[in-house]
Amino acid sequence: MSSRKSKSNSLIHAECLSQVQRILRERFCHQSPHSNLFGVQVQYKHLSELLKRTAIHGESNSVLIIGPRGSGKNLLINHALRELMEIEEVSENVLQVHLNGLLQINDKIALKEITRQLNLENVVGDKVFGSFAENFSFLLEALKKGDRTSSCPVIFILDEFDLFAHHKNQTLLYNLFDISQSAQTPIAVIGLTCRLDILELLEKRVKSRFSHRQIYLMNSFGFPQYVKIFKEQLSLPAEFPDKLFAEKWNENVQCLSEERSVQEVLQKHFNISKNLRSLHMLLMLSLNRVTASHPFMTAIDLMEASQLCSMDSKANIVHGLSVLEICLIIAMKHLNDIYEEEPFNFQMVYNEFQKFVQRKAHSVYNFEKPVVMKAFEHLQQLELIKPVERTSGNSQREYQLMKLLLDNTQIMNALQKYPNCPTDVRQWATSSLSWL
Amino acid sequence: MAHYPTRLKTRKTYSWVGRPLLDRKLHYQTYREMCVKTEDCSTEINIQVGQFVLIKGDDYENPFVAKLLELFEDDSDPPKKCAQVQWFVRFCEIPVRKQHLLGRKPAAQEIFWYDYPACNSSINAETIIGPVRVILLPPNDVVPTDLKNEKTLFVKLSWNEKKFRPLSPELFAELNKPQEGAAKCQKPVGAKNKSAESPAWTPAEYVAKRIESRHSASKSRQTPTHPVTPRARKRLELAGNSWMSQQASCATLDSPGRTKRKVAFSEITSPSKRSQPDKLQTLSQAPKAPETTRENGLSYTEDDKKASPERCMILRTRIPPLKTIDIRDERTLTPIRGGRRSSVVPSVILKPENIEKRDAKEAETQNEATSTPHRVRRKSSLLTMNRIRRQLRFLGNSKSDQEEKEILPAAEISDSSSEDEEASIPPLPRRTPRTVSRNLQSSLKSSLKTPTKMPKKRPKPRTTPCCATPQIRSRILAAQEPASVLEKARLRLHVSAVPESLPCREQEFQDIYNFVESKLLDHTGGCMYISGVPGTGKTATVHEVIRCLQQAAQANDVPPFHYIEVNGMKLTEPHQVYVQILQKLTGQKATASHAAELLAKRFCTRGSPQDTTVLLVDELDLLWTHKQDVMYNLFDWPTQKKARLVVLAIANTMDLPERIMMNRVSSRLGLTRMSFQPYTYSQLQQILRSRLRHLKAFEDDAIQLVARKVAALSGDARRCLDICRRATEICEFSQQKPNSPGLVTIAHSMEAVDEMFSSSYITAIKNSSILEQGFLRAILAEFHRSGLEEATFQQIYSQHVALCRMEGLPYPTMSETMAVCSRLGSCRLLLVEPSRNDLLLRVRLNVSQDDVLYALKEE
C-alpha cells in the first residue's frame, strides 16, 4: 500500500518537476519583460517618461542606455515598451524599429531594415529597393514629411549602439539625431551599449545633435539584495497548478537562502561578478540536478554547480592530455624558468625532454622524434602553445618559435589532479634539477 | 437659411437662347443667355452672362454661389453646355480653422468673393439652379442683418484662402456693372421666390455684354474644356484634403470594422453620382466635420476609376480660369498689395535695414529715381521691367508660356499654394521661389508634399503608387498639447522649435544677407564659406536669410531665385550631390555622372537667362573626394558668367580650404569667409531668455548657471537647450504635488548639468564586483612595479594572485580572471587586445590611475 502511494506521489512529483523546470528555465534563458526589475526604479522612470512624451506629446528625444553586459539594458527597454504599449491611447499610435549593430553591419542594411519595419516598401510599388542612395533619400523624405502633431511617432531602438558609430561617416546616426532635433516626424532614438566611452566615439557634429541623455545601469545592488534576487528567481509563481507543491518548493527556497553554505556560495559568486546572467547560470546548473527522486534543491547542488562554474578550462584540457604531452609541457615550463619567458622551439623542447628520458633511462618514455613532433602539434592545436609569429611556409617546423599559454600555477594544479600521473614525472615537474 | 428649390426631383431642361456667337478664333460657340425649363409646370427661367447664379452642390441648404462669366458649348460629341464662373464662398465653406480670420461674426447672408486662382471655374451649365440676387457693399457699409428678403446675398470682402480683404474699387466697379443690367430681371424673380416655394420664374430675354477679355477666351480655347459638375469638384477637394490619411488607412484596412464602414459609406456616395438628392443629407454634412473627412477619403478610392477621367479634365480645364483671374487680380489688386506688404514687415524681426528703408521710400522711388541711392534705383528699374514683361504677356499670347502652363498646372498651383501669400500675387511663370518642376510626374509629387497645408478648393491629382511619396503613417490620436508651464517651456526649449528670430547672430545674418542679396541683384554668382563649431547656428542663420529673401522676392524687392539645399551627411556618396541638385532644380532623375554633365551644361553654357540659384551645401567636408572634383565643380560653376549660382558652403573647421582642398579648389572658393564663434555665456543666456519669454518656468540663476557651464565647455546652443529641457523634467519629477506650478531652481539645473557632463567611469568602478576591483588593483600594482603603462595578462594575473594571498582571499582561477578582464574591456575601463592572445594579451587602463585609486579608496 505504502509503496504504491509513494509511487503515485513520485509520479505527481515528476509531473510537477517537469513543469518547474520548464518555468524556471524559461525564466533563466529568456529575458521576459514580465520579470521584475531590480534596483533600477529611477532609471526606469526616466526612460518610461521619455517614451511617453514621445508617444503622447510627439516630442523627439534621444537617449543612451549604458551599462556593462548583463546589467539588464534590454530588460529595461522591453519593460518600458511593454508598459507603454499597454496604455490604450499609445498602442495604436507608435511605430517601433529595432536594429542591432551585430546584424545591421552597415548603413545600407540598416536602411533596408528600417524601411521594412516601417512598412514603407509597399509605397514604392514594384521596385521595392532601388540603389542605396535612392533608398536613403526615400527614407529621409518619408521622415521629413511628418510634423510633431500629425505623424505617428517612431521609436528607434539601436542595440549595440557602439557598432553603429563605426559605420561610414556615421551617416545613419547623424540623420537619426538630426531628425530628433528638428521639426520632422517625432522620433525617439534609444541606444543600448556597454561602452562607457561611447560619447567619444561620436563625431562632433553627431555628438552635438545627440541630446546627451544617458541612463546608466551599473548593477548597483549589495549582497542582501543579491540573495533576495536569488530567492525571487527560484520561487515558483502563485499561478502554479499544484499549490501544495509550489508551497513546499518555495519554503525550501526560503530555507536554502538562509543556509550558511548557500550564502557562502552566493557570496563567492557575487564577489566574482554582479552580473545576473552568471547567477542564472548557477541556478540553471543546480536546477538540472533536481529529479523525481531528489525533488528539492539542496545546498550541495548549489555548491557543485558553483564548482562547475568556476572551473578553469585550461586545467580541464590538461587533464585530458597523454603522458608524453604532459612531459612536453613540463619541459616547456622548465625552459620558461631557465630562459625567463623567452620563446622556445620544438628542438629545444625535445632536447629538454631527451635529457629527462636519458636520466631516467625508462624505455616507457622513449618515443621516436616524429611521435614527439605529433604530440607537440597537438598541443598547438589545443592552443596550449602559440607561435610567436605567423607560420610561414618556408621556415622549418622544428625551429618555429613558440610560447606557452599556461601559467606555472596552472600546470602544478593540473598535475596534482592528473589521473595516474607517474611519480617521476611529477618529481621532474617540481624541479628541473631533481635528477641531479 | 433660405430654402432654394433644389430639392425638387423634377427634371430640368436647359436650352440656349439667342444665336450662337461664333468667335473666329474660338472653335466653339458662345451664348449670352440660357433658358431653364422645369418639365412639369413648364416654368422657364432665363439666365444670362453676368448674372449671379446658384449652382448645385452637396449641401442643399447652401448651394454654391457664382457669377456667370461665359456660356459656351464645347466641341465634344454630343456637345455639352458649359459655363465659366467666378466663385463666391459662403462663410461655412471656409475651413473651420481659418474662420477666425474674419474677426467678427459673419452676417447670415454674407458671401465672399473667392479670390483664389487655383480654383477650377469651369462648370457644367446644367448644374445651374437659378439666378440669385447679390449686392455688393462698399467696404465701409455694414452688412444688413435683418433683411426680410432672405434670398439676397451680400459681398463685402474677398477671401483668398489666406485672409479676408476688402474688395478693391476696380473690382467693385466691374462687378457692379453687369449686375445693374441684370438687376431688372432679378427683382421679380426674388419676389416670386418668396411668395411660393415652387420655382416660378418669369421668362425674360437679355443681351449681356461679354466681359471676358479676348485673351482669356483664347486661353480657354487652347485647352480642351470639358464641363465638370460642381459636385465633383467638391468631392475632389474632400478627397484632396484627406488623401494622406486615406492612404494610411488603406494600409491598415485589415480591421473588419473599418472595412464595414467603408462599404456603408460607398453606398451613400454612389447614389450621389446619379444625383438623387434625398439620400445625400449625410454627405452634405461631411465637409464640415473633420472626423468624417477620413471616410470621404475612403470613398474616393471606391469611385476612383469612374471619377478619374473627370479629374484629369479638371487638371486641364483649370488653366484658363486661372489665367483670367490672375490677370484681373493683377490689374485690380495693385493698391492693396503695397498695404499688405507693409503689414507683413513687422512680423519679420530680422528684416535687414535696407528693406525697411525701401519700404518707406517706395512712393518716392517711382518718380525721383535720380535722388535715390544706387541699390534702390536698381530695384525700381527692375520693378518697371517686371511690369513691362507682365504687360507683354498680357497682350500678346506668348505661346511658349501657355504651353508650359498646360504641361504643369498642378506644379504651378501646388507651389503657389504652398508658399505663404503666393496665391495673392500675380503668378508669373517661374515666379515661384522654390524649384519649379518641369515635367508632370514630378509636379504631381511636389503637390503631394504639403498635405497639411492643402488649401480648400484644390482638386488633388491622383498618383499612381509608383510615384507616390513615402510618408510615415499619421497618428490616430492627436498629439496632446502641453498643459503645464513646464511642458510649454519644454516644447519651446526643444531644439526643433523654430524661434521667430535668432538672437545674437544679427551681424552674421546681416553679412550673409547682404552677400546673397547683392549677388541676386547683380545677377552674378559667388561662393561663401561659413565655418563654426557645431551648434552655433550656422544652418539656422542661413535658413533665416533665405526665408527673408524669399519674402523679399515675393515683395519684388529682389529678383526671384531658386533655393536648393544639400547636406553632405545626407548623401551616401559625394557624387550623389549632383543627383540631388539636379532633382531639386529640374525634377529630373539621373545617375551621378549624367547629372554632373547636365548640370555643367546648365551652368556653363550660354542659355536663356535664368533665375539665380542659391545653393546651400551643408557639411561640406564630406564632399571631399580623392580628386576633389565635386568640390571643384561646386565652386567652379559660380564663376561661370551665365551660371548665376550662389553657393553657401558650411563646414565645421575654419581652415578647411587650406587643409584639405587643392589650391585650384580653394582659389575658386574665394576669400568670402565667415566664422561663427561659439556662443558666450551672455549670448546663451539671451537665447534661453528669448525662448522662455512670457513663461515663468525658470529662475534667473538657473538659466545663468546652465549658460555659464555650457559656454565654458563648448558654447553649443543645442547642449544648452537640452540641459534646460532635462532640468524641467527633473523639476517635474521632484515635485510633490502634481498641480503646483513648479519653478526650475538652481538645484535642478545643477543636477541636469551633472547628469550630462559627469564621467561615468568612477561610478562604474565603484559598482563593479570585488574581483573586478581586485583586478584593477593588480593592474595598478603591476604598472607600479614595471613602471610602464602596459602589462600582459599573465603578469597581472600573477600580481593578482599575490595580492589575494596577501589578503588571505581564495584566489580566482585563470578562466574567472580572464572573464573579469574581458568584462572590464567591454565597458572600456580597460583597453585590451583581442582575447585570442590569451595570456599574452596586453592590457592598458582607459582611465587615469588617479581616478582608479580614488574610486577604489572610497570604499
Side-chain angles (χ1 to χ4, degrees):
Chain A
M1 247 336 242
S2 66
S3 73
R4 188 191 284 172
K5 198 179 173 186
S6 71
K7 206 173 183 185
S8 70
N9 228 352
S10 72
L11 258 178
I12 292 168
H13 273 167
E15 233 171 71
C16 287
L17 278 176
S18 68
Q19 265 185 331
V20 167
Q21 293 200 327
R22 190 181 51 79
I23 290 173
L24 292 184
R25 276 177 190 155
E26 251 173 34
R27 192 184 286 171
F28 298 150
C29 295
H30 300 288
Q31 292 181 323
S32 80
H34 296 275
S35 60
N36 292 327
L37 292 167
F38 307 101
V40 288
Q41 264 61 41
V42 179
Q43 289 94 327
Y44 179 71
K45 178 102 179 154
H46 185 177
L47 182 66
S48 69
E49 286 292 314
L50 185 128
L51 287 175
K52 265 181 218 159
R53 274 201 306 277
T54 302
I56 296 170
H57 296 283
E59 182 186 307
S60 290
N61 270 314
S62 50
V63 68
L64 280 178
I65 304 176
I66 305 171
R69 297 220 177 269
S71 56
K73 301 180 289 293
N74 262 309
L75 187 71
L76 185 77
I77 180 71
N78 287 341
H79 223 275
L81 282 176
R82 188 177 60 94
E83 200 197 77
L84 187 74
M85 286 307 171
E86 277 170 4
I87 304 173
E88 213 171 299
E89 59 208 19
V90 170
S91 54
E92 284 285 301
N93 253 351
V94 170
L95 295 169
Q96 291 180 26
V97 176
H98 293 262
L99 300 176
N100 191 318
L102 293 168
L103 299 177
Q104 281 78 42
I105 51 165
N106 58 36
D107 283 348
K108 195 173 177 178
I109 301 172
L111 277 185
K112 279 190 185 179
E113 187 63 19
I114 293 171
T115 321
R116 194 186 63 76
Q117 291 193 20
L118 287 177
N119 279 329
L120 284 173
E121 71 264 56
N122 50 1
V123 180
V124 217
D126 45 342
K127 43 169 197 173
V128 176
F129 289 118
S131 68
F132 180 29
E134 273 172 17
N135 279 344
F136 190 55
S137 51
F138 170 85
L139 193 68
L140 286 181
E141 190 86 339
L143 290 170
K144 203 190 268 178
K145 252 351 120 37
D147 64 349
R148 187 181 73 82
T149 46
S150 67
S151 17
C152 191
V154 188
I155 298 177
F156 285 90
I157 295 137
L158 308 181
D159 207 349
E160 310 290 346
F161 182 83
D162 44 317
L163 296 176
F164 286 98
H166 292 130
H167 293 184
K168 191 190 161 213
N169 287 345
Q170 305 189 344
T171 312
L172 182 75
L173 294 185
Y174 176 91
N175 285 297
L176 284 182
F177 286 142
D178 195 47
I179 293 164
S180 82
Q181 299 243 314
S182 52
Q184 302 179 2
T185 304
I187 66 167
V189 184
I190 296 161
L192 311 178
T193 182
C194 61
R195 289 186 63 163
L196 297 170
D197 62 343
I198 182 68
L199 285 183
E200 291 155 38
L201 291 182
L202 298 178
E203 218 193 322
K204 57 183 184 303
R205 51 193 150 208
V206 181
K207 194 176 167 185
S208 166
R209 280 165 175 80
F210 168 56
S211 75
H212 277 62
R213 285 160 192 269
Q214 297 151 60
I215 297 176
Y216 286 103
L217 298 177
M218 288 296 184
N219 290 329
S220 53
F221 44 76
F223 183 64
Q225 217 175 348
Y226 192 73
V227 176
K228 226 169 110 190
I229 294 168
F230 162 79
K231 261 193 295 188
E232 223 166 291
Q233 289 288 300
L234 218 50
S235 302
L236 288 176
E239 54 264 25
F240 192 74
D242 191 339
K243 297 277 179 227
L244 205 70
F245 183 84
E247 216 170 90
K248 266 196 208 165
W249 175 274
N250 289 345
E251 230 169 74
N252 180 51
V253 170
Q254 178 65 32
C255 291
L256 264 184
S257 67
E258 282 156 14
E259 221 169 297
R260 239 188 102 248
S261 53
V262 174
Q263 296 245 344
E264 267 170 21
V265 169
L266 288 179
Q267 180 74 57
K268 187 181 161 221
H269 227 75
F270 179 72
N271 284 351
I272 291 171
S273 154
K274 286 174 159 186
N275 195 334
L276 287 189
R277 273 191 204 149
S278 75
L279 177 66
H280 284 160
M281 194 64 201
L282 178 79
L283 296 181
M284 182 76 115
L285 288 172
S286 46
L287 181 70
N288 289 348
R289 303 175 70 90
V290 171
T291 56
S293 55
H294 175 68
F296 297 106
M297 212 180 270
T298 58
I300 297 161
D301 292 334
L302 274 169
M303 276 152 77
E304 282 180 10
S306 160
Q307 256 177 5
L308 263 180
C309 278
S310 60
M311 201 170 292
D312 190 355
S313 56
K314 271 201 195 135
N316 281 351
I317 295 175
V318 174
H319 290 170
L321 292 180
S322 67
V323 176
L324 172 61
E325 283 157 348
I326 288 280
C327 288
L328 287 180
I329 284 178
I330 293 169
M332 291 170 199
K333 173 181 174 280
H334 290 324
L335 282 174
N336 270 349
D337 288 346
I338 296 163
Y339 298 108
E340 292 185 331
E341 311 280 325
E342 285 297 308
F344 47 84
N345 59 27
F346 172 71
Q347 200 55 50
M348 288 161 78
V349 176
Y350 185 71
N351 289 344
E352 191 71 24
F353 177 58
Q354 281 311 106
K355 274 188 217 163
F356 166 66
V357 172
Q358 280 160 14
R359 209 36 67 186
K360 287 295 157 191
H362 273 314
S363 55
V364 193
Y365 306 121
N366 206 0
F367 298 104
E368 300 279 313
K369 198 176 175 185
V371 176
V372 180
M373 183 69 193
K374 200 76 196 165
F376 189 79
E377 279 176 353
H378 187 224
L379 287 179
Q380 191 184 342
Q381 278 162 6
L382 289 171
E383 290 199 323
L384 292 176
I385 54 175
K386 186 170 176 275
V388 174
E389 284 150 11
R390 295 217 147 255
T391 44
S392 50
N394 46 12
S395 72
Q396 277 182 299
R397 279 162 179 253
E398 295 97 303
Y399 304 108
Q400 198 175 16
L401 288 175
M402 294 287 190
K403 274 210 146 192
L404 182 63
L405 295 182
L406 282 169
D407 199 54
N408 276 356
T409 50
Q410 267 179 314
I411 298 169
M412 298 315 289
N413 287 345
L415 267 183
Q416 272 167 16
K417 287 180 193 160
Y418 187 78
N420 307 322
C421 182
T423 11
D424 39 3
V425 173
R426 197 168 281 170
Q427 276 175 357
W428 179 47
T430 47
S431 164
S432 58
L433 307 169
S434 64
W435 44 269
L436 282 175
Chain B
M1 249 326 195
H3 285 270
Y4 298 96
T6 56
R7 282 166 173 275
L8 291 176
K9 287 176 193 171
T10 51
R11 281 177 61 109
K12 288 177 185 164
T13 51
Y14 293 81
S15 57
W16 298 124
V17 177
R19 273 189 313 115
L21 300 168
L22 184 64
D23 200 321
R24 196 120 344 129
K25 274 185 161 181
L26 316 171
H27 295 304
Y28 57 81
Q29 298 174 320
T30 58
Y31 296 86
R32 298 213 174 123
E33 196 168 355
M34 191 174 68
C35 174
V36 184
K37 273 186 199 166
T38 41
E39 251 177 20
D40 51 348
C41 44
S42 69
T43 44
E44 281 186 10
I45 314 164
N46 277 28
I47 299 164
Q48 54 182 238
V49 171
Q51 254 184 323
F52 294 92
V53 289
L54 294 175
I55 292 164
K56 253 188 251 176
D58 293 333
D59 189 350
Y60 280 77
E61 300 289 319
N62 302 316
F64 295 125
V65 184
K67 185 182 170 188
L68 204 55
L69 299 181
E70 192 182 12
L71 286 166
F72 59 90
E73 196 157 71
D74 71 349
D75 44 2
S76 67
D77 191 42
K80 274 192 202 153
K81 299 182 179 65
C82 301
Q84 285 282 348
V85 293
Q86 161 63 46
W87 291 105
F88 290 84
V89 287
R90 290 169 191 274
F91 188 67
C92 56
E93 289 172 51
I94 290 167
V96 182
R97 62 201 156 82
K98 292 197 173 158
Q99 285 182 354
H100 68 274
L101 290 173
L102 183 60
R104 59 178 166 87
K105 247 181 87 79
Q109 286 117 25
E110 187 168 3
I111 56 174
F112 304 96
W113 164 263
Y114 192 54
D115 176 18
Y116 190 62
C119 179
N120 173 31
S121 66
S122 166
I123 60 157
N124 188 339
E126 302 194 354
T127 56
I128 295 173
I129 298 164
V132 69
R133 185 177 156 80
V134 176
I135 294 175
L136 275 93
L137 294 171
N140 299 331
D141 276 21
V142 181
V143 180
T145 44
D146 48 339
L147 265 194
K148 293 217 176 95
N149 186 354
E150 283 182 319
K151 274 66 178 190
T152 316
L153 298 165
F154 298 96
V155 185
K156 194 176 153 189
L157 300 171
S158 75
W159 165 245
N160 66 348
E161 288 291 338
K162 300 275 184 244
K163 52 173 77 171
F164 292 95
R165 291 206 228 128
L167 294 176
S168 65
E170 288 97 314
L171 184 67
F172 192 74
E174 193 186 328
L175 272 175
N176 259 345
K177 197 168 46 176
Q179 170 77 10
E180 273 148 24
K184 279 175 258 166
C185 84
Q186 278 193 329
K187 272 259 159 70
V189 170
K192 281 262 168 81
N193 258 355
K194 213 166 85 181
S195 61
E197 282 298 89
S198 65
W201 312 70
T202 31
E205 286 188 357
Y206 289 98
V207 179
K209 229 171 64 187
R210 271 194 67 208
I211 53 156
E212 278 302 303
S213 70
R214 212 176 60 186
H215 172 70
S216 71
S218 71
K219 276 275 172 172
S220 46
R221 172 189 55 83
Q222 283 235 338
T223 55
T225 38
H226 294 277
V228 175
T229 60
R231 191 178 302 123
R233 179 180 69 122
K234 199 75 173 184
R235 200 164 54 224
L236 279 173
E237 141 224 325
L238 290 174
N241 271 337
S242 56
W243 169 245
M244 279 311 164
S245 63
Q246 174 254 330
Q247 212 177 19
S249 60
C250 277
T252 55
L253 259 179
D254 39 5
S255 70
R258 206 171 290 155
T259 36
K260 216 180 279 171
R261 208 165 45 180
K262 178 186 166 188
V263 169
F265 191 78
S266 63
E267 275 168 13
I268 300 169
T269 43
S270 50
S272 80
K273 293 176 72 66
R274 278 172 256 122
S275 62
Q276 289 177 3
D278 45 351
K279 283 192 186 174
L280 275 166
Q281 225 28 22
T282 46
L283 184 67
S284 65
Q285 306 303 328
K288 276 97 206 171
E291 235 72 284
T292 46
T293 48
R294 260 178 73 77
E295 280 128 290
N296 281 327
L298 283 173
S299 79
Y300 178 66
T301 41
E302 279 293 297
D303 47 24
D304 224 4
K305 282 176 204 141
K306 290 174 246 169
S308 55
E310 247 178 20
R311 209 163 298 130
C312 295
M313 282 168 348
I314 292 166
L315 271 179
R316 271 172 281 146
T317 49
R318 218 173 28 223
I319 307 135
L322 175 88
K323 195 66 189 179
T324 55
I325 291 163
D326 285 350
I327 291 156
R328 184 168 309 142
D329 238 14
E330 198 173 89
R331 211 192 296 140
T332 54
L333 290 183
T334 26
I336 300 170
R337 217 168 52 212
R340 178 190 58 79
R341 195 180 54 215
S342 61
S343 72
V344 170
V345 170
S347 71
V348 185
I349 285 155
L350 273 175
K351 198 98 181 169
E353 303 132 12
N354 52 7
I355 297 277
E356 279 157 36
K357 195 166 61 189
R358 189 189 151 14
D359 235 341
K361 286 188 182 173
E362 193 178 28
E364 306 158 28
T365 49
Q366 304 290 334
N367 15 17
E368 38 184 63
T370 44
S371 64
T372 45
H374 176 62
R375 179 172 294 159
V376 178
R377 194 166 60 223
R378 249 189 332 205
K379 265 182 207 157
S380 66
S381 70
L382 207 96
L383 265 177
T384 39
M385 229 175 70
N386 264 347
R387 216 166 287 138
I388 290 165
R389 215 195 303 171
R390 238 176 283 151
Q391 289 286 332
L392 281 174
R393 197 171 301 119
F394 203 93
L395 298 171
N397 31 3
S398 52
K399 207 124 194 184
S400 61
D401 259 353
Q402 286 167 17
E403 271 162 13
E404 195 178 321
K405 284 249 164 176
E406 205 165 314
I407 301 164
L408 35 106
E412 184 76 43
I413 288 154
S414 66
D415 273 351
S416 63
S417 59
S418 66
E419 291 300 323
D420 250 13
E421 297 164 320
E422 178 71 6
S424 63
I425 285 171
L428 307 172
R430 278 197 249 120
R431 260 305 301 276
T432 46
R434 293 270 166 85
T435 55
V436 174
S437 343
R438 250 143 244 270
N439 56 20
L440 189 59
Q441 194 199 355
S442 68
S443 69
L444 288 179
K445 239 190 234 171
S446 69
S447 68
L448 268 175
K449 274 179 190 161
T450 52
T452 47
K453 285 200 259 175
M454 205 82 68
K456 203 184 167 208
K457 294 202 172 178
R458 204 175 87 218
K460 205 72 209 268
R462 187 172 167 271
T463 49
T464 52
C466 68
C467 57
T469 32
Q471 164 108 4
I472 303 293
R473 75 174 164 87
S474 58
R475 54 190 303 151
I476 292 156
L477 278 160
Q480 273 182 21
E481 288 308 313
S484 70
V485 176
L486 284 177
E487 279 175 9
K488 261 182 219 155
R490 206 177 299 142
L491 192 65
R492 284 203 210 166
L493 285 171
H494 200 283
V495 184
S496 71
V498 181
E500 59 260 38
S501 69
L502 286 175
C504 313
R505 286 296 179 220
E506 287 84 4
Q507 187 53 47
E508 285 85 354
F509 173 86
Q510 193 63 59
D511 289 352
I512 300 174
Y513 189 96
N514 288 347
F515 174 79
V516 180
E517 195 199 29
S518 65
K519 299 291 177 205
L520 285 179
L521 290 172
D522 297 341
H523 293 292
T524 52
C527 299
M528 185 176 206
Y529 177 72
I530 301 167
S531 65
V533 293
T536 47
K538 301 178 293 296
T539 313
T541 307
V542 174
H543 281 165
E544 188 77 23
V545 167
I546 297 296
R547 217 169 64 206
C548 281
L549 279 171
Q550 278 171 347
Q551 274 168 359
Q554 278 177 19
N556 267 335
D557 289 340
V558 294
F561 62 95
H562 296 303
Y563 169 61
I564 297 174
E565 186 179 343
V566 288
N567 186 326
M569 267 294 199
K570 296 185 177 171
L571 304 171
T572 52
E573 196 253 333
H575 290 95
Q576 287 292 325
V577 77
Y578 298 130
V579 179
Q580 292 228 341
I581 293 175
L582 186 74
Q583 193 178 358
K584 285 175 183 167
L585 205 58
T586 65
Q588 281 172 292
K589 269 189 179 177
T591 60
S593 53
H594 187 51
E597 278 171 31
L598 287 176
L599 285 174
K601 202 186 283 173
R602 183 188 164 96
F603 288 125
C604 301
T605 54
R606 291 162 176 269
S608 54
Q610 290 158 330
D611 285 346
T612 311
T613 307
V614 178
L615 175 65
L616 168 63
V617 185
D618 214 341
E619 314 290 359
L620 177 75
D621 48 336
L622 284 161
L623 296 183
W624 188 88
T625 52
H626 190 66
K627 285 167 71 185
Q628 306 198 354
D629 47 344
V630 176
M631 282 184 181
Y632 179 86
N633 278 335
L634 282 182
F635 299 133
D636 188 44
W637 289 333
T639 60
Q640 303 289 333
K641 221 174 190 178
K642 285 287 170 183
R644 292 200 187 168
L645 178 66
V646 181
V647 175
L648 301 171
I650 298 182
N652 288 140
T653 37
M654 205 157 85
D655 56 344
L656 189 79
E658 285 73 33
R659 221 155 34 84
I660 68 166
M661 288 185 200
M662 292 177 190
N663 286 336
R664 59 164 182 265
V665 178
S666 58
S667 137
R668 274 168 178 80
L669 174 57
L671 290 170
T672 319
R673 307 245 178 116
M674 167 169 292
S675 138
F676 278 63
Q677 296 304 320
Y679 289 111
T680 62
Y681 100 88
S682 54
Q683 284 173 326
L684 287 173
Q685 208 172 342
Q686 199 183 334
I687 290 170
L688 289 176
R689 289 237 172 86
S690 79
R691 287 217 179 199
L692 291 170
R693 202 180 298 144
H694 309 309
L695 263 188
K696 193 65 196 148
F698 274 78
E699 277 181 8
D700 274 359
D701 288 348
I703 291 182
Q704 193 173 352
L705 175 86
V706 174
R708 279 187 187 273
K709 279 274 179 190
V710 173
L713 280 163
S714 61
D716 186 337
R718 290 197 187 105
R719 199 69 325 99
C720 209
L721 294 170
D722 281 333
I723 291 174
C724 286
R725 208 149 59 86
R726 177 68 188 138
T728 62
E729 280 167 28
I730 292 171
C731 173
E732 204 168 43
F733 190 60
S734 65
Q735 253 170 42
Q736 299 305 317
K737 284 163 282 175
N739 289 327
S740 64
L743 207 60
V744 179
T745 61
I746 265 206
H748 296 136
S749 42
M750 196 70 202
E751 198 180 331
V753 167
D754 283 347
E755 225 173 73
M756 298 223 172
F757 290 126
S758 72
S759 151
S760 53
Y761 289 113
I762 290 174
T763 30
I765 294 173
K766 275 184 191 166
N767 283 318
S768 54
S769 73
I770 292 174
L771 190 62
E772 284 159 354
Q773 290 179 349
F775 191 75
L776 286 171
R777 272 201 193 93
I779 292 175
L780 287 184
E782 178 60 29
F783 284 179
H784 189 69
R785 186 191 68 81
S786 66
L788 297 171
E789 293 278 289
E790 190 179 274
T792 65
F793 176 74
Q794 196 170 14
Q795 291 167 328
I796 298 167
Y797 178 69
S798 49
Q799 196 69 248
H800 193 179
V801 169
L803 277 175
C804 284
R805 280 210 183 112
M806 219 150 66
E807 288 173 26
L809 293 171
Y811 56 84
T813 61
M814 183 76 90
S815 296
E816 280 167 348
T817 319
M818 200 66 188
V820 163
C821 180
S822 65
R823 242 184 344 249
L824 293 174
S826 76
C827 358
R828 288 300 189 278
L829 279 170
L830 303 180
L831 296 175
V832 292
E833 281 184 323
S835 56
R836 70 185 141 81
N837 284 348
D838 208 44
L839 282 186
L840 307 174
L841 69 82
R842 281 171 296 178
V843 178
R844 308 177 93 167
L845 274 178
N846 198 24
V847 205
S848 78
Q849 294 193 23
D850 294 341
D851 280 358
V852 178
L853 269 179
Y854 169 77
L856 291 175
K857 219 173 262 175
E858 200 98 328
E859 297 284 307

